[in-house]
């Protein structure tokens, strides 16, 4: 457990899909700026836990508090506003809009919160440069490599200055060299901006970029240090 104040805290989370109990009492805390890895076997409930924490899925039971607010009890509108303004997302595949250029993709979250095109694209360009993909700015996601596309996705997740970045197997489709580069850049940028990162992965090498690891087993969470 961390001694720092929790930014995001979940307790006793339960979520079922029909007869499947995906979450069965899961809980965790994450502090501002902390990088937390959620590990566990396939089907153990990692993604469901991340989706609940990010306000994408509403749990059947349990509590989620984000920055003093009751996230689990918020309506769809409140949760979607929170996702737009406070959270960033990096998934394994498909999060970039194929019809837009890499630059337009990174500028999009800013445009959705009302920014004008020029300042949004200027800021997007800064983030593309930071992730070393500014040369791909005018290309479409389908015309760049998988590793480059994932770095564009990281730029898009961070451009709004989120408090929490949710990353679900962000390196799952990459070879190990590109995976390490994405992880290094994601965690460095998050640390510089004091964003917390909730990282779902089954790869120890990816989890090694975190400050702390928890393991999900049959829908329950266990601190890695307590696992034999
Ligand atoms: N939308 C859904 N409908 C039905 N069952 C679901 C749904 N989402 C998850 N499940 C089930 O809930 C359980 C937990 O799934 P979850 O995706 O959270 O596991 P995971 O640990 O992320 O797995 P993986 O590492 O394979 O992605 C699994 O048995 C899964 O089949």
């Amino acid at each position: 457990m961390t001694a720092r104040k929790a930014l995001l805290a979940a307790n006793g989370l339960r979520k079922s899909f029909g007869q499947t109990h995906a979450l069965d009492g899961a809980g965790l805390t994450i502090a501002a700026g902390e990088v937390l890895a959620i590990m566990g076997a396939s089907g153990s409930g990692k993604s469901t836990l991340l989706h609940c924490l990010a306000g994408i899925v509403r749990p059947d039971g349990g509590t989620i508090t984000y920055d003093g607010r009751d996230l689990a009890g918020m309506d769809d509108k409140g949760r979607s506003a929170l996702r737009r303004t406070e959270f960033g997302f990096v998934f394994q595949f498909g999060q970039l809009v194929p019809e837009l250029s890499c630059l337009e993709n990174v500028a999009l979250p800013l445009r959705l919160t009302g920014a004008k095109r020029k300042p949004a694209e200027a800021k997007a360009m800064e983030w593309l440069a930071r992730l070393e993909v500014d040369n791909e700015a005018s290309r479409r996601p389908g015309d760049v490599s998988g590793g480059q596309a994932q770095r564009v996705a990281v730029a898009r997740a961070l451009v709004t200055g989120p408090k929490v970045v949710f990353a679900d197997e962000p390196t799952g489709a990459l070879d190990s060299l590109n995976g390490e580069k994405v992880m290094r850049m994601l965690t460095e940028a998050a640390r510089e901006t004091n964003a917390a990162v909730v990282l779902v992965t089954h790869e120890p090498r990816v989890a090694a970029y975190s400050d702390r690891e928890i393991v999900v087993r049959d829908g329950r969470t266990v601190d890695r240090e307590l696992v034999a």
Side-chain angles (χ1 to χ4, degrees):
M1 288 290 285
T2 176
R4 288 185 283 175
K5 189 173 165 284
L7 174 66
L8 184 60
N11 240 308
L13 291 184
R14 286 183 291 104
K15 178 71 192 176
S16 297
F17 298 102
Q19 298 298 308
T20 307
H21 302 302
L23 295 180
D24 188 17
L28 57 80
T29 61
I30 182 160
E34 189 180 24
V35 180
L36 175 76
I38 301 177
M39 302 197 70
S42 179
S44 57
K46 304 180 296 294
S47 295
T48 306
L49 176 57
L50 181 136
H51 292 155
C52 287
L53 296 171
I56 296 169
V57 164
R58 197 198 288 270
D60 300 330
T63 59
I64 307 173
T65 309
Y66 170 72
D67 201 18
R69 284 171 274 176
D70 171 17
L71 194 150
M74 250 179 227
D75 62 12
D76 288 350
K77 208 171 152 198
R79 285 185 288 128
S80 115
L82 201 64
R83 287 200 300 272
R84 231 181 6 250
T85 56
E86 310 261 324
F87 298 163
F89 294 91
V90 185
F91 295 115
Q92 184 172 351
F93 301 111
Q95 67 263 42
L96 298 172
V97 182
E99 294 81 8
L100 299 181
S101 70
C102 291
L103 180 69
E104 288 165 339
N105 263 285
V106 178
L108 188 61
L110 298 170
R111 299 281 284 140
L112 290 175
T113 53
K116 295 245 187 301
R117 191 169 61 85
K118 273 205 164 155
E121 291 193 349
K123 196 157 181 202
M125 201 63 192
E126 281 173 30
W127 274 98
L128 286 173
R130 200 158 168 171
L131 275 296
E132 298 175 12
V133 276
D134 43 330
N135 286 341
E136 330 310 323
S138 59
R139 294 193 181 168
R140 290 185 178 189
D143 298 330
V144 304
S145 75
Q148 288 168 336
Q150 221 33 358
R151 281 185 274 138
V152 173
V154 170
R156 194 174 81 163
L158 287 159
V159 73
T160 54
K163 300 269 180 16
V164 188
V165 178
F166 293 94
D168 196 350
E169 300 280 7
T171 64
L174 305 179
D175 60 66
S176 60
L177 206 65
N178 274 304
E180 303 241 342
K181 192 165 187 177
V182 165
M183 281 315 299
R184 184 170 48 75
M185 290 183 156
L186 168 61
T187 49
E188 276 175 12
R191 288 205 161 93
E192 278 168 33
T193 57
N194 203 36
V197 179
V198 180
L199 166 71
V200 163
T201 182
H202 62 271
E203 290 182 68
R205 211 165 41 191
V206 173
Y209 285 86
S210 70
D211 300 318
R212 191 160 58 93
E213 295 175 23
I214 62 162
V215 180
V216 183
R217 271 192 188 158
D218 300 329
R220 294 191 191 88
T221 36
V222 196
D223 264 337
R224 169 62 111 197
E225 289 160 23
L226 305 176
V227 180

